Amino acid sequence: MINKNRPHVLVLPEDDANRQIADAFALEVQDPRRIQVLPEAGGWLSVCTKFQSDHVKGMRNIPERHLILLLDFDNQNDRMDHIMQKTPPDLAPRVFLLGVQSEPEDLKKVGLSSYEKIGRKLAAECRERKREMWNHDLLERNAGELDRL
């Protein structure tokens, strides 16, 4: 269980594939009380809706909370702008939008292994301040958000 009085991250995944990657990532976090993967939202529009209906108030009440919206970009370059426009300005510094350029299934298709191994490798790279897998064509769009994190 997360400690609300210390900096922590909630991850709101779009679908089961993203949830599996996030769960594996969370297994590699040193302090498990700093990250919680939420149930999948059921589509990128549902991520937006759930963020606004379920998390805006909580984030305002808990200043140590950060939120990662984990979704498929479905090769839609305007998706990030669409979501960030709906993010209240006071929360924008604590909301991060991460995901695969197309969809997570493509990570497996190009041979990057299982969702569990992908999630663990991405976490290890964050811990080691590396970006080998993060620099893959399907994930490189996350660079700016990783810098903010």
Side-chain angles (χ1 to χ4, degrees), residues 18 21 25 70-73 75 80 97-108 110 112-115 117-119 121-123 125-126 130-147:
N18 282 303
I21 293 169
F25 187 103
L70 183 59
L71 51 92
D72 308 348
F73 284 96
N75 293 310
M80 184 174 214
L97 193 55
L98 297 175
V100 178
Q101 174 64 30
S102 52
E103 54 188 27
E105 294 79 5
D106 290 342
L107 294 172
K108 289 170 73 173
V110 298
L112 293 181
S113 196
S114 68
Y115 294 137
K117 288 181 181 176
I118 292 167
K121 173 76 172 165
L122 293 173
E125 287 187 9
C126 286
K130 294 181 180 176
R131 291 202 183 162
E132 294 165 15
M133 186 178 285
W134 283 108
N135 285 335
H136 188 279
D137 291 346
L138 293 170
L139 295 170
E140 68 185 354
R141 72 167 302 117
N142 296 299
E145 292 295 83
L146 291 173
D147 291 342

mmCIF file of all heavy atoms in Angstrom, residues 18 21 25 70-73 75 80 97-108 110 112-115 117-119 121-123 125-126 130-147:
data_model
loop_
_atom_site.group_PDB
_atom_site.id
_atom_site.type_symbol
_atom_site.label_atom_id
_atom_site.label_comp_id
_atom_site.label_asym_id
_atom_site.label_seq_id
_atom_site.Cartn_x
_atom_site.Cartn_y
_atom_site.Cartn_z
ATOM 1 N N ASN A 18 -0.883 -2.868 -21.126
ATOM 2 C CA ASN A 18 -0.188 -1.800 -20.408
ATOM 3 C C ASN A 18 -0.118 -2.111 -18.915
ATOM 4 O O ASN A 18 0.890 -1.833 -18.264
ATOM 5 C CB ASN A 18 -0.884 -0.461 -20.637
ATOM 6 C CG ASN A 18 -0.563 0.122 -21.984
ATOM 7 O OD1 ASN A 18 0.583 0.332 -22.319
ATOM 8 N ND2 ASN A 18 -1.587 0.392 -22.772
ATOM 9 N N ILE A 21 2.721 -4.568 -18.230
ATOM 10 C CA ILE A 21 4.024 -3.895 -18.276
ATOM 11 C C ILE A 21 4.236 -3.084 -16.999
ATOM 12 O O ILE A 21 5.300 -3.147 -16.379
ATOM 13 C CB ILE A 21 4.135 -3.007 -19.535
ATOM 14 C CG1 ILE A 21 4.163 -3.878 -20.796
ATOM 15 C CG2 ILE A 21 5.370 -2.108 -19.463
ATOM 16 C CD1 ILE A 21 4.007 -3.109 -22.098
ATOM 17 N N PHE A 25 7.041 -3.488 -14.081
ATOM 18 C CA PHE A 25 7.867 -2.329 -13.745
ATOM 19 C C PHE A 25 7.839 -2.114 -12.230
ATOM 20 O O PHE A 25 8.880 -1.929 -11.599
ATOM 21 C CB PHE A 25 7.331 -1.087 -14.471
ATOM 22 C CG PHE A 25 8.191 0.136 -14.342
ATOM 23 C CD1 PHE A 25 8.999 0.531 -15.389
ATOM 24 C CD2 PHE A 25 8.182 0.903 -13.189
ATOM 25 C CE1 PHE A 25 9.793 1.665 -15.288
ATOM 26 C CE2 PHE A 25 8.968 2.040 -13.061
ATOM 27 C CZ PHE A 25 9.780 2.423 -14.125
ATOM 28 N N LEU A 70 -0.919 5.691 -18.665
ATOM 29 C CA LEU A 70 -0.188 4.763 -19.523
ATOM 30 C C LEU A 70 -1.114 4.254 -20.607
ATOM 31 O O LEU A 70 -2.072 3.522 -20.330
ATOM 32 C CB LEU A 70 0.338 3.599 -18.670
ATOM 33 C CG LEU A 70 1.199 2.555 -19.361
ATOM 34 C CD1 LEU A 70 2.441 3.179 -19.984
ATOM 35 C CD2 LEU A 70 1.579 1.462 -18.372
ATOM 36 N N LEU A 71 -0.849 4.680 -21.852
ATOM 37 C CA LEU A 71 -1.788 4.344 -22.920
ATOM 38 C C LEU A 71 -1.114 4.044 -24.237
ATOM 39 O O LEU A 71 0.075 4.243 -24.400
ATOM 40 C CB LEU A 71 -2.809 5.469 -23.087
ATOM 41 C CG LEU A 71 -2.273 6.894 -23.231
ATOM 42 C CD1 LEU A 71 -2.084 7.243 -24.671
ATOM 43 C CD2 LEU A 71 -3.217 7.849 -22.568
ATOM 44 N N ASP A 72 -1.924 3.561 -25.153
ATOM 45 C CA ASP A 72 -1.480 3.332 -26.532
ATOM 46 C C ASP A 72 -1.679 4.656 -27.273
ATOM 47 O O ASP A 72 -2.737 5.260 -27.174
ATOM 48 C CB ASP A 72 -2.347 2.279 -27.235
ATOM 49 C CG ASP A 72 -2.492 0.990 -26.461
ATOM 50 O OD1 ASP A 72 -1.761 0.773 -25.484
ATOM 51 O OD2 ASP A 72 -3.348 0.189 -26.844
ATOM 52 N N PHE A 73 -0.679 5.062 -28.022
ATOM 53 C CA PHE A 73 -0.847 6.273 -28.824
ATOM 54 C C PHE A 73 -1.465 5.970 -30.183
ATOM 55 O O PHE A 73 -1.879 6.887 -30.884
ATOM 56 C CB PHE A 73 0.484 7.015 -28.961
ATOM 57 C CG PHE A 73 0.859 7.747 -27.705
ATOM 58 C CD1 PHE A 73 1.713 7.174 -26.784
ATOM 59 C CD2 PHE A 73 0.334 8.990 -27.431
ATOM 60 C CE1 PHE A 73 2.053 7.829 -25.619
ATOM 61 C CE2 PHE A 73 0.664 9.670 -26.268
ATOM 62 C CZ PHE A 73 1.525 9.076 -25.360
ATOM 63 N N ASN A 75 -0.459 5.490 -32.988
ATOM 64 C CA ASN A 75 0.130 6.306 -34.063
ATOM 65 C C ASN A 75 -0.597 7.635 -34.267
ATOM 66 O O ASN A 75 -0.552 8.202 -35.354
ATOM 67 C CB ASN A 75 0.205 5.511 -35.376
ATOM 68 C CG ASN A 75 1.187 4.363 -35.267
ATOM 69 O OD1 ASN A 75 2.322 4.542 -34.832
ATOM 70 N ND2 ASN A 75 0.751 3.175 -35.646
ATOM 71 N N MET A 80 -1.379 13.101 -27.242
ATOM 72 C CA MET A 80 -0.783 13.689 -26.039
ATOM 73 C C MET A 80 -1.320 15.101 -25.816
ATOM 74 O O MET A 80 -1.706 15.452 -24.702
ATOM 75 C CB MET A 80 0.729 13.709 -26.141
ATOM 76 C CG MET A 80 1.418 14.219 -24.901
ATOM 77 S SD MET A 80 3.195 14.013 -25.081
ATOM 78 C CE MET A 80 3.616 13.683 -23.401
ATOM 79 N N LEU A 97 2.360 11.355 -19.202
ATOM 80 C CA LEU A 97 1.702 10.565 -20.229
ATOM 81 C C LEU A 97 2.756 9.703 -20.926
ATOM 82 O O LEU A 97 3.633 10.217 -21.605
ATOM 83 C CB LEU A 97 1.040 11.517 -21.228
ATOM 84 C CG LEU A 97 0.064 10.951 -22.212
ATOM 85 C CD1 LEU A 97 -1.048 10.191 -21.505
ATOM 86 C CD2 LEU A 97 -0.536 12.068 -23.033
ATOM 87 N N LEU A 98 2.671 8.400 -20.703
ATOM 88 C CA LEU A 98 3.629 7.464 -21.274
ATOM 89 C C LEU A 98 2.899 6.407 -22.091
ATOM 90 O O LEU A 98 1.731 6.122 -21.829
ATOM 91 C CB LEU A 98 4.423 6.761 -20.174
ATOM 92 C CG LEU A 98 5.300 7.636 -19.286
ATOM 93 C CD1 LEU A 98 5.913 6.801 -18.171
ATOM 94 C CD2 LEU A 98 6.383 8.318 -20.099
ATOM 95 N N GLY A 99 3.603 5.836 -23.039
ATOM 96 C CA GLY A 99 2.999 4.751 -23.808
ATOM 97 C C GLY A 99 3.785 4.410 -25.051
ATOM 98 O O GLY A 99 4.797 5.018 -25.373
ATOM 99 N N VAL A 100 3.266 3.424 -25.741
ATOM 100 C CA VAL A 100 3.861 2.926 -26.975
ATOM 101 C C VAL A 100 3.320 3.748 -28.143
ATOM 102 O O VAL A 100 2.126 4.089 -28.174
ATOM 103 C CB VAL A 100 3.524 1.428 -27.155
ATOM 104 C CG1 VAL A 100 4.094 0.893 -28.456
ATOM 105 C CG2 VAL A 100 4.045 0.624 -25.974
ATOM 106 N N GLN A 101 4.174 4.060 -29.095
ATOM 107 C CA GLN A 101 3.767 4.841 -30.271
ATOM 108 C C GLN A 101 2.534 4.241 -30.943
ATOM 109 O O GLN A 101 1.648 4.953 -31.372
ATOM 110 C CB GLN A 101 4.921 4.937 -31.270
ATOM 111 C CG GLN A 101 4.580 5.588 -32.586
ATOM 112 C CD GLN A 101 4.181 7.048 -32.457
ATOM 113 O OE1 GLN A 101 4.639 7.754 -31.567
ATOM 114 N NE2 GLN A 101 3.323 7.515 -33.342
ATOM 115 N N SER A 102 2.479 2.932 -31.016
ATOM 116 C CA SER A 102 1.334 2.259 -31.631
ATOM 117 C C SER A 102 0.526 1.589 -30.515
ATOM 118 O O SER A 102 -0.376 2.169 -29.950
ATOM 119 C CB SER A 102 1.792 1.256 -32.683
ATOM 120 O OG SER A 102 2.775 0.380 -32.138
ATOM 121 N N GLU A 103 0.893 0.343 -30.181
ATOM 122 C CA GLU A 103 0.250 -0.384 -29.088
ATOM 123 C C GLU A 103 1.247 -1.399 -28.527
ATOM 124 O O GLU A 103 2.174 -1.822 -29.224
ATOM 125 C CB GLU A 103 -1.030 -1.069 -29.551
ATOM 126 C CG GLU A 103 -0.846 -1.969 -30.735
ATOM 127 C CD GLU A 103 -2.170 -2.478 -31.292
ATOM 128 O OE1 GLU A 103 -3.204 -1.816 -31.146
ATOM 129 O OE2 GLU A 103 -2.137 -3.578 -31.873
ATOM 130 N N PRO A 104 1.091 -1.798 -27.255
ATOM 131 C CA PRO A 104 2.073 -2.673 -26.619
ATOM 132 C C PRO A 104 2.291 -3.997 -27.346
ATOM 133 O O PRO A 104 3.403 -4.544 -27.307
ATOM 134 C CB PRO A 104 1.494 -2.924 -25.226
ATOM 135 C CG PRO A 104 0.598 -1.781 -24.982
ATOM 136 C CD PRO A 104 0.056 -1.384 -26.315
ATOM 137 N N GLU A 105 1.283 -4.505 -27.991
ATOM 138 C CA GLU A 105 1.430 -5.758 -28.731
ATOM 139 C C GLU A 105 2.560 -5.683 -29.743
ATOM 140 O O GLU A 105 3.230 -6.689 -30.023
ATOM 141 C CB GLU A 105 0.111 -6.137 -29.411
ATOM 142 C CG GLU A 105 -1.011 -6.489 -28.452
ATOM 143 C CD GLU A 105 -1.720 -5.293 -27.806
ATOM 144 O OE1 GLU A 105 -1.426 -4.129 -28.155
ATOM 145 O OE2 GLU A 105 -2.560 -5.522 -26.921
ATOM 146 N N ASP A 106 2.796 -4.495 -30.285
ATOM 147 C CA ASP A 106 3.876 -4.320 -31.261
ATOM 148 C C ASP A 106 5.254 -4.502 -30.639
ATOM 149 O O ASP A 106 6.195 -4.877 -31.334
ATOM 150 C CB ASP A 106 3.770 -2.955 -31.946
ATOM 151 C CG ASP A 106 2.576 -2.870 -32.884
ATOM 152 O OD1 ASP A 106 2.043 -3.937 -33.272
ATOM 153 O OD2 ASP A 106 2.169 -1.742 -33.220
ATOM 154 N N LEU A 107 5.388 -4.245 -29.342
ATOM 155 C CA LEU A 107 6.667 -4.479 -28.676
ATOM 156 C C LEU A 107 7.032 -5.954 -28.728
ATOM 157 O O LEU A 107 8.190 -6.315 -28.944
ATOM 158 C CB LEU A 107 6.609 -4.011 -27.218
ATOM 159 C CG LEU A 107 6.436 -2.516 -26.988
ATOM 160 C CD1 LEU A 107 6.193 -2.235 -25.511
ATOM 161 C CD2 LEU A 107 7.647 -1.752 -27.497
ATOM 162 N N LYS A 108 6.027 -6.792 -28.547
ATOM 163 C CA LYS A 108 6.268 -8.235 -28.624
ATOM 164 C C LYS A 108 6.531 -8.659 -30.062
ATOM 165 O O LYS A 108 7.385 -9.497 -30.322
ATOM 166 C CB LYS A 108 5.071 -8.984 -28.047
ATOM 167 C CG LYS A 108 4.963 -8.843 -26.532
ATOM 168 C CD LYS A 108 3.676 -9.368 -25.969
ATOM 169 C CE LYS A 108 3.604 -10.848 -25.974
ATOM 170 N NZ LYS A 108 2.416 -11.373 -25.260
ATOM 171 N N VAL A 110 8.037 -7.095 -32.392
ATOM 172 C CA VAL A 110 9.389 -6.768 -32.840
ATOM 173 C C VAL A 110 10.448 -7.501 -32.021
ATOM 174 O O VAL A 110 11.641 -7.237 -32.160
ATOM 175 C CB VAL A 110 9.661 -5.242 -32.850
ATOM 176 C CG1 VAL A 110 8.735 -4.535 -33.812
ATOM 177 C CG2 VAL A 110 9.598 -4.655 -31.462
ATOM 178 N N LEU A 112 10.811 -7.787 -28.523
ATOM 179 C CA LEU A 112 11.307 -7.259 -27.250
ATOM 180 C C LEU A 112 10.910 -8.121 -26.056
ATOM 181 O O LEU A 112 11.111 -7.732 -24.930
ATOM 182 C CB LEU A 112 10.829 -5.815 -27.039
ATOM 183 C CG LEU A 112 11.420 -4.799 -28.002
ATOM 184 C CD1 LEU A 112 10.911 -3.400 -27.693
ATOM 185 C CD2 LEU A 112 12.937 -4.815 -27.971
ATOM 186 N N SER A 113 10.326 -9.269 -26.291
ATOM 187 C CA SER A 113 10.027 -10.266 -25.260
ATOM 188 C C SER A 113 8.621 -10.103 -24.701
ATOM 189 O O SER A 113 7.767 -9.484 -25.311
ATOM 190 C CB SER A 113 11.083 -10.206 -24.148
ATOM 191 O OG SER A 113 11.022 -11.378 -23.360
ATOM 192 N N SER A 114 8.413 -10.682 -23.516
ATOM 193 C CA SER A 114 7.096 -10.661 -22.871
ATOM 194 C C SER A 114 6.859 -9.309 -22.204
ATOM 195 O O SER A 114 7.802 -8.548 -21.965
ATOM 196 C CB SER A 114 7.016 -11.764 -21.814
ATOM 197 O OG SER A 114 7.900 -11.465 -20.737
ATOM 198 N N TYR A 115 5.606 -9.036 -21.863
ATOM 199 C CA TYR A 115 5.295 -7.779 -21.175
ATOM 200 C C TYR A 115 6.043 -7.695 -19.846
ATOM 201 O O TYR A 115 6.513 -6.630 -19.457
ATOM 202 C CB TYR A 115 3.792 -7.643 -20.940
ATOM 203 C CG TYR A 115 2.984 -7.516 -22.204
ATOM 204 C CD1 TYR A 115 1.793 -8.200 -22.363
ATOM 205 C CD2 TYR A 115 3.411 -6.701 -23.248
ATOM 206 C CE1 TYR A 115 1.040 -8.081 -23.522
ATOM 207 C CE2 TYR A 115 2.674 -6.580 -24.410
ATOM 208 C CZ TYR A 115 1.492 -7.273 -24.541
ATOM 209 O OH TYR A 115 0.752 -7.156 -25.685
ATOM 210 N N LYS A 117 8.992 -9.048 -19.035
ATOM 211 C CA LYS A 117 10.401 -8.728 -19.267
ATOM 212 C C LYS A 117 10.570 -7.295 -19.750
ATOM 213 O O LYS A 117 11.539 -6.624 -19.388
ATOM 214 C CB LYS A 117 11.018 -9.717 -20.245
ATOM 215 C CG LYS A 117 11.217 -11.087 -19.625
ATOM 216 C CD LYS A 117 11.860 -12.055 -20.588
ATOM 217 C CE LYS A 117 12.018 -13.423 -19.923
ATOM 218 N NZ LYS A 117 12.559 -14.410 -20.853
ATOM 219 N N ILE A 118 9.636 -6.821 -20.554
ATOM 220 C CA ILE A 118 9.692 -5.429 -21.028
ATOM 221 C C ILE A 118 9.579 -4.482 -19.838
ATOM 222 O O ILE A 118 10.379 -3.555 -19.686
ATOM 223 C CB ILE A 118 8.581 -5.157 -22.065
ATOM 224 C CG1 ILE A 118 8.862 -5.933 -23.353
ATOM 225 C CG2 ILE A 118 8.440 -3.661 -22.331
ATOM 226 C CD1 ILE A 118 7.695 -5.990 -24.315
ATOM 227 N N GLY A 119 8.588 -4.698 -18.978
ATOM 228 C CA GLY A 119 8.394 -3.837 -17.811
ATOM 229 C C GLY A 119 9.595 -3.836 -16.887
ATOM 230 O O GLY A 119 10.039 -2.779 -16.405
ATOM 231 N N LYS A 121 12.721 -4.575 -17.678
ATOM 232 C CA LYS A 121 13.862 -3.942 -18.351
ATOM 233 C C LYS A 121 13.716 -2.413 -18.342
ATOM 234 O O LYS A 121 14.689 -1.697 -18.084
ATOM 235 C CB LYS A 121 13.964 -4.465 -19.794
ATOM 236 C CG LYS A 121 14.995 -3.776 -20.653
ATOM 237 C CD LYS A 121 16.398 -4.200 -20.338
ATOM 238 C CE LYS A 121 17.345 -3.617 -21.380
ATOM 239 N NZ LYS A 121 18.705 -3.667 -20.989
ATOM 240 N N LEU A 122 12.509 -1.914 -18.584
ATOM 241 C CA LEU A 122 12.289 -0.466 -18.560
ATOM 242 C C LEU A 122 12.573 0.099 -17.167
ATOM 243 O O LEU A 122 13.172 1.171 -17.028
ATOM 244 C CB LEU A 122 10.871 -0.126 -19.012
ATOM 245 C CG LEU A 122 10.562 -0.418 -20.483
ATOM 246 C CD1 LEU A 122 9.076 -0.212 -20.766
ATOM 247 C CD2 LEU A 122 11.413 0.428 -21.419
ATOM 248 N N ALA A 123 12.159 -0.627 -16.128
ATOM 249 C CA ALA A 123 12.418 -0.180 -14.754
ATOM 250 C C ALA A 123 13.911 -0.188 -14.458
ATOM 251 O O ALA A 123 14.444 0.754 -13.854
ATOM 252 C CB ALA A 123 11.669 -1.072 -13.772
ATOM 253 N N GLU A 125 16.318 0.156 -16.530
ATOM 254 C CA GLU A 125 16.942 1.276 -17.243
ATOM 255 C C GLU A 125 16.706 2.592 -16.517
ATOM 256 O O GLU A 125 17.588 3.444 -16.472
ATOM 257 C CB GLU A 125 16.445 1.340 -18.683
ATOM 258 C CG GLU A 125 17.023 0.245 -19.546
ATOM 259 C CD GLU A 125 16.675 0.402 -21.016
ATOM 260 O OE1 GLU A 125 16.131 1.445 -21.419
ATOM 261 O OE2 GLU A 125 16.974 -0.529 -21.774
ATOM 262 N N CYS A 126 15.527 2.768 -15.949
ATOM 263 C CA CYS A 126 15.263 3.990 -15.175
ATOM 264 C C CYS A 126 16.192 4.047 -13.967
ATOM 265 O O CYS A 126 16.789 5.088 -13.681
ATOM 266 C CB CYS A 126 13.807 4.032 -14.722
ATOM 267 S SG CYS A 126 12.648 4.414 -16.040
ATOM 268 N N LYS A 130 19.667 4.603 -17.858
ATOM 269 C CA LYS A 130 19.974 4.218 -19.225
ATOM 270 C C LYS A 130 18.704 4.327 -20.048
ATOM 271 O O LYS A 130 17.607 4.364 -19.512
ATOM 272 C CB LYS A 130 20.481 2.768 -19.279
ATOM 273 C CG LYS A 130 21.812 2.547 -18.607
ATOM 274 C CD LYS A 130 22.231 1.113 -18.734
ATOM 275 C CE LYS A 130 23.565 0.862 -18.070
ATOM 276 N NZ LYS A 130 23.920 -0.561 -18.121
ATOM 277 N N ARG A 131 18.875 4.321 -21.355
ATOM 278 C CA ARG A 131 17.703 4.395 -22.225
ATOM 279 C C ARG A 131 17.878 3.546 -23.468
ATOM 280 O O ARG A 131 17.602 3.996 -24.569
ATOM 281 C CB ARG A 131 17.404 5.836 -22.608
ATOM 282 C CG ARG A 131 16.905 6.661 -21.442
ATOM 283 C CD ARG A 131 16.136 7.844 -21.895
ATOM 284 N NE ARG A 131 15.741 8.661 -20.756
ATOM 285 C CZ ARG A 131 15.368 9.903 -20.852
ATOM 286 N NH1 ARG A 131 15.325 10.497 -22.023
ATOM 287 N NH2 ARG A 131 15.018 10.580 -19.779
ATOM 288 N N GLU A 132 18.307 2.328 -23.323
ATOM 289 C CA GLU A 132 18.459 1.470 -24.489
ATOM 290 C C GLU A 132 17.094 1.054 -25.029
ATOM 291 O O GLU A 132 16.772 1.324 -26.189
ATOM 292 C CB GLU A 132 19.328 0.268 -24.135
ATOM 293 C CG GLU A 132 20.762 0.657 -23.818
ATOM 294 C CD GLU A 132 21.541 -0.440 -23.126
ATOM 295 O OE1 GLU A 132 21.091 -1.605 -23.139
ATOM 296 O OE2 GLU A 132 22.608 -0.123 -22.579
ATOM 297 N N MET A 133 16.292 0.395 -24.216
ATOM 298 C CA MET A 133 14.958 -0.002 -24.670
ATOM 299 C C MET A 133 14.052 1.217 -24.824
ATOM 300 O O MET A 133 13.256 1.291 -25.749
ATOM 301 C CB MET A 133 14.313 -1.016 -23.718
ATOM 302 C CG MET A 133 12.975 -1.549 -24.259
ATOM 303 S SD MET A 133 12.199 -2.791 -23.227
ATOM 304 C CE MET A 133 13.223 -4.209 -23.563
ATOM 305 N N TRP A 134 14.210 2.181 -23.923
ATOM 306 C CA TRP A 134 13.391 3.398 -24.017
ATOM 307 C C TRP A 134 13.635 4.130 -25.346
ATOM 308 O O TRP A 134 12.753 4.846 -25.816
ATOM 309 C CB TRP A 134 13.710 4.342 -22.859
ATOM 310 C CG TRP A 134 13.103 3.959 -21.556
ATOM 311 C CD1 TRP A 134 13.750 3.460 -20.466
ATOM 312 C CD2 TRP A 134 11.719 4.054 -21.175
ATOM 313 N NE1 TRP A 134 12.851 3.242 -19.444
ATOM 314 C CE2 TRP A 134 11.611 3.596 -19.857
ATOM 315 C CE3 TRP A 134 10.570 4.496 -21.837
ATOM 316 C CZ2 TRP A 134 10.399 3.556 -19.172
ATOM 317 C CZ3 TRP A 134 9.362 4.454 -21.157
ATOM 318 C CH2 TRP A 134 9.284 3.987 -19.835
ATOM 319 N N ASN A 135 14.801 3.949 -25.950
ATOM 320 C CA ASN A 135 15.108 4.614 -27.218
ATOM 321 C C ASN A 135 14.605 3.846 -28.437
ATOM 322 O O ASN A 135 14.811 4.295 -29.564
ATOM 323 C CB ASN A 135 16.612 4.850 -27.344
ATOM 324 C CG ASN A 135 17.081 5.984 -26.467
ATOM 325 O OD1 ASN A 135 16.320 6.881 -26.128
ATOM 326 N ND2 ASN A 135 18.346 5.944 -26.070
ATOM 327 N N HIS A 136 13.968 2.710 -28.224
ATOM 328 C CA HIS A 136 13.395 1.961 -29.346
ATOM 329 C C HIS A 136 12.361 2.844 -30.050
ATOM 330 O O HIS A 136 11.681 3.670 -29.422
ATOM 331 C CB HIS A 136 12.734 0.673 -28.830
ATOM 332 C CG HIS A 136 12.298 -0.223 -29.936
ATOM 333 N ND1 HIS A 136 11.116 -0.028 -30.625
ATOM 334 C CD2 HIS A 136 12.895 -1.310 -30.487
ATOM 335 C CE1 HIS A 136 11.007 -0.964 -31.552
ATOM 336 N NE2 HIS A 136 12.067 -1.754 -31.487
ATOM 337 N N ASP A 137 12.214 2.676 -31.360
ATOM 338 C CA ASP A 137 11.278 3.482 -32.155
ATOM 339 C C ASP A 137 9.874 3.525 -31.551
ATOM 340 O O ASP A 137 9.197 4.550 -31.631
ATOM 341 C CB ASP A 137 11.177 2.939 -33.586
ATOM 342 C CG ASP A 137 12.447 3.160 -34.387
ATOM 343 O OD1 ASP A 137 13.302 3.956 -33.956
ATOM 344 O OD2 ASP A 137 12.584 2.530 -35.456
ATOM 345 N N LEU A 138 9.430 2.425 -30.967
ATOM 346 C CA LEU A 138 8.078 2.365 -30.413
ATOM 347 C C LEU A 138 7.946 3.066 -29.064
ATOM 348 O O LEU A 138 6.837 3.333 -28.612
ATOM 349 C CB LEU A 138 7.620 0.909 -30.274
ATOM 350 C CG LEU A 138 7.418 0.158 -31.583
ATOM 351 C CD1 LEU A 138 7.208 -1.324 -31.326
ATOM 352 C CD2 LEU A 138 6.237 0.743 -32.363
ATOM 353 N N LEU A 139 9.077 3.394 -28.426
ATOM 354 C CA LEU A 139 9.036 3.993 -27.090
ATOM 355 C C LEU A 139 9.715 5.362 -27.000
ATOM 356 O O LEU A 139 9.571 6.050 -25.992
ATOM 357 C CB LEU A 139 9.707 3.047 -26.081
ATOM 358 C CG LEU A 139 9.007 1.716 -25.869
ATOM 359 C CD1 LEU A 139 9.890 0.782 -25.057
ATOM 360 C CD2 LEU A 139 7.661 1.919 -25.195
ATOM 361 N N GLU A 140 10.432 5.755 -28.044
ATOM 362 C CA GLU A 140 11.218 6.981 -27.973
ATOM 363 C C GLU A 140 10.383 8.240 -27.738
ATOM 364 O O GLU A 140 10.896 9.225 -27.217
ATOM 365 C CB GLU A 140 12.088 7.137 -29.218
ATOM 366 C CG GLU A 140 11.314 7.388 -30.485
ATOM 367 C CD GLU A 140 12.192 7.419 -31.723
ATOM 368 O OE1 GLU A 140 13.429 7.364 -31.588
ATOM 369 O OE2 GLU A 140 11.637 7.500 -32.818
ATOM 370 N N ARG A 141 9.113 8.189 -28.042
ATOM 371 C CA ARG A 141 8.238 9.350 -27.830
ATOM 372 C C ARG A 141 8.126 9.719 -26.357
ATOM 373 O O ARG A 141 7.674 10.797 -26.005
ATOM 374 C CB ARG A 141 6.867 9.105 -28.432
ATOM 375 C CG ARG A 141 6.035 8.094 -27.636
ATOM 376 C CD ARG A 141 4.557 8.067 -28.027
ATOM 377 N NE ARG A 141 3.952 9.358 -27.872
ATOM 378 C CZ ARG A 141 3.433 10.101 -28.863
ATOM 379 N NH1 ARG A 141 3.401 9.652 -30.071
ATOM 380 N NH2 ARG A 141 2.925 11.278 -28.634
ATOM 381 N N ASN A 142 8.543 8.830 -25.458
ATOM 382 C CA ASN A 142 8.449 9.051 -24.019
ATOM 383 C C ASN A 142 9.604 9.876 -23.459
ATOM 384 O O ASN A 142 9.605 10.205 -22.268
ATOM 385 C CB ASN A 142 8.400 7.709 -23.288
ATOM 386 C CG ASN A 142 7.158 6.923 -23.643
ATOM 387 O OD1 ASN A 142 6.048 7.357 -23.412
ATOM 388 N ND2 ASN A 142 7.359 5.757 -24.232
ATOM 389 N N ALA A 143 10.580 10.213 -24.261
ATOM 390 C CA ALA A 143 11.794 10.872 -23.772
ATOM 391 C C ALA A 143 11.509 12.135 -22.966
ATOM 392 O O ALA A 143 12.061 12.322 -21.878
ATOM 393 C CB ALA A 143 12.734 11.186 -24.938
ATOM 394 N N GLY A 144 10.666 12.995 -23.464
ATOM 395 C CA GLY A 144 10.360 14.241 -22.749
ATOM 396 C C GLY A 144 9.706 13.992 -21.402
ATOM 397 O O GLY A 144 10.028 14.647 -20.401
ATOM 398 N N GLU A 145 8.798 13.032 -21.367
ATOM 399 C CA GLU A 145 8.124 12.705 -20.111
ATOM 400 C C GLU A 145 9.106 12.059 -19.129
ATOM 401 O O GLU A 145 9.049 12.318 -17.936
ATOM 402 C CB GLU A 145 6.927 11.803 -20.340
ATOM 403 C CG GLU A 145 5.789 12.471 -21.087
ATOM 404 C CD GLU A 145 5.142 13.619 -20.299
ATOM 405 O OE1 GLU A 145 5.703 14.737 -20.349
ATOM 406 O OE2 GLU A 145 4.125 13.400 -19.648
ATOM 407 N N LEU A 146 9.996 11.210 -19.637
ATOM 408 C CA LEU A 146 11.012 10.620 -18.761
ATOM 409 C C LEU A 146 11.907 11.678 -18.166
ATOM 410 O O LEU A 146 12.263 11.613 -16.988
ATOM 411 C CB LEU A 146 11.840 9.595 -19.542
ATOM 412 C CG LEU A 146 11.130 8.319 -19.945
ATOM 413 C CD1 LEU A 146 12.026 7.480 -20.847
ATOM 414 C CD2 LEU A 146 10.677 7.519 -18.745
ATOM 415 N N ASP A 147 12.255 12.688 -18.958
ATOM 416 C CA ASP A 147 13.077 13.786 -18.449
ATOM 417 C C ASP A 147 12.336 14.510 -17.323
ATOM 418 O O ASP A 147 12.944 14.876 -16.313
ATOM 419 C CB ASP A 147 13.426 14.777 -19.560
ATOM 420 C CG ASP A 147 14.388 14.210 -20.582
ATOM 421 O OD1 ASP A 147 15.059 13.190 -20.290
ATOM 422 O OD2 ASP A 147 14.456 14.774 -21.693
#
